[in-house]
């Protein structure tokens, strides 16, 4: 029902988030379910003639550095890759080293560390974004306080750059429309411009970053256009010019 409600409020793309919190050494990463099995026929986006785009996303909760495995084959089926570091050291590693698209900011409890400009600037330079989710703030007064406090601390350090606002909603009633999210961004310390970008252009940048990340180790190849193929075929079928006989 959540995926059916999203296009009705103006969203053209949504991501199904699979949260992976390793508790054992050999714990397996969950595999994403086919979109057709979850939804069936994709609903149309309000005001557009195209269906909603549904992506699969994996969020790895890092309580140890070994919980995130670079270039793991289990990560490949997912369109987006995110990490949620729980300590300052892991946050620094996520900003500077981890090949991910999104760094999730803890919003359900008080942060155990303060944000520092050096790792945040490193993340911004690499094109990795920070994510603040708002659904938990709708469920509980205490978590609402933590969400606002942690978000404001982040905005003071990153100056509102490379930030996205997401729902992390578990049911349709927790989902808000784009204009409501922009107003929430103002509450989190974003400017009006940065708040709008947090639900539009920065989200598109995340998708482009994910595409670039997945193809970084691919093979570059070229294909001839149809005109070039026809020209080469005509050249090969043309009779060769006669060479003059030598005397």
């Amino acid at each position: 029902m959540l995926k059916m409600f999203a296009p009705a409020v103006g969203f053209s793309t949504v991501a199904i988030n699979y949260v992976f919190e390793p508790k054992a050494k050999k714990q397996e990463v969950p595999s994403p379910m086919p979109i057709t099995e979850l939804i069936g026929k994709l609903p149309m986006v309000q005001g557009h003639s195209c269906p909603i785009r549904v992506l699969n996303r994996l969020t790895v909760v890092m309580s140890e550095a070994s919980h995130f495995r670079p270039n793991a084959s289990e990560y490949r089926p997912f369109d987006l890759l995110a990490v949620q570091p729980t300590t300052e050291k892991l946050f620094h590693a996520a900003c500077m080293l981890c090949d991910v698209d999104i760094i999730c900011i803890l919003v359900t409890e008080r942060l155990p560390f303060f944000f520092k400009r050096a790792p945040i600037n490193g993340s911004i330079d690499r094109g990795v974004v920070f994510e603040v989710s708002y659904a938990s703030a709708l469920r509980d007064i205490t978590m609402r306080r933590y969400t606002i406090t942690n978000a404001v601390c982040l905005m003071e350090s990153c100056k509102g750059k490379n930030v996205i606002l997401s729902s992390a909603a578990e049911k349709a009633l927790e989902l808000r429309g784009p204009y409501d999210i922009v107003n929430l961004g103002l509450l989190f310390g974003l400017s009006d411009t940065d708040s709008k970008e947090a639900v539009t252009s920065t989200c598109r940048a995340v998708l482009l970053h994910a595409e670039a990340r997945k193809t970084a180790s691919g093979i570059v190849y070229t294909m001839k256009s149809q005109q070039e193929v026809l020209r080469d075929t005509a050249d090969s079928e043309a009779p060769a010019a006669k060479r003059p006989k030598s005397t």
Side-chain angles (χ1 to χ4, degrees), residues 37-189:
E37 294 183 9
L38 290 174
I39 302 177
K41 184 179 180 180
L42 296 176
M44 304 299 289
V45 180
Q46 183 181 22
H48 297 77
S49 59
C50 59
I52 190 171
R53 183 184 182 188
V54 182
L55 306 175
N56 288 315
R57 162 184 161 171
L58 176 67
T59 300
V60 180
V61 180
M62 294 175 60
S63 55
E64 295 181 8
S66 60
H67 288 168
F68 179 78
R69 302 191 300 273
N71 302 320
S73 59
E74 296 88 347
Y75 298 163
R76 294 175 185 171
F78 295 93
D79 302 295
L80 298 170
L81 185 57
V83 292
Q84 181 176 306
T86 57
T87 65
E88 183 177 4
K89 184 178 180 180
L90 294 175
F91 180 79
H92 188 280
C95 292
M96 305 300 293
L97 301 174
C98 293
D99 189 14
V100 296
D101 309 307
I102 302 168
I103 298 176
C104 305
I105 304 302
L106 186 65
V107 294
T108 56
E109 59 186 59
R110 186 185 300 275
L111 279 174
F113 58 91
F114 294 101
F115 294 112
K116 295 182 179 179
R117 293 295 300 274
I120 286 180
N121 289 339
S123 177
I124 294 175
D125 292 340
R126 296 197 302 123
V128 181
V129 305
F130 302 100
E131 177 191 56
V132 177
S133 58
Y134 61 81
S136 58
L138 305 176
R139 303 175 191 142
D140 183 83
I141 296 178
T142 302
M143 287 192 289
R144 185 181 309 161
R145 183 171 63 251
Y146 289 143
T147 300
I148 296 175
T149 301
N150 297 349
V152 170
C153 291
L154 173 67
M155 305 314 166
E156 291 177 351
S157 299
C158 70
K159 305 302 181 183
K161 304 302 180 184
N162 283 42
V163 174
I164 62 173
L165 302 177
S166 66
S167 66
E170 298 177 357
K171 50 187 178 181
L173 291 177
E174 295 176 346
L175 190 63
R176 296 294 182 268
Y179 293 104
D180 293 331
I181 300 175
V182 169
N183 291 330
L184 283 174
L186 301 178
L187 184 63
F188 293 159

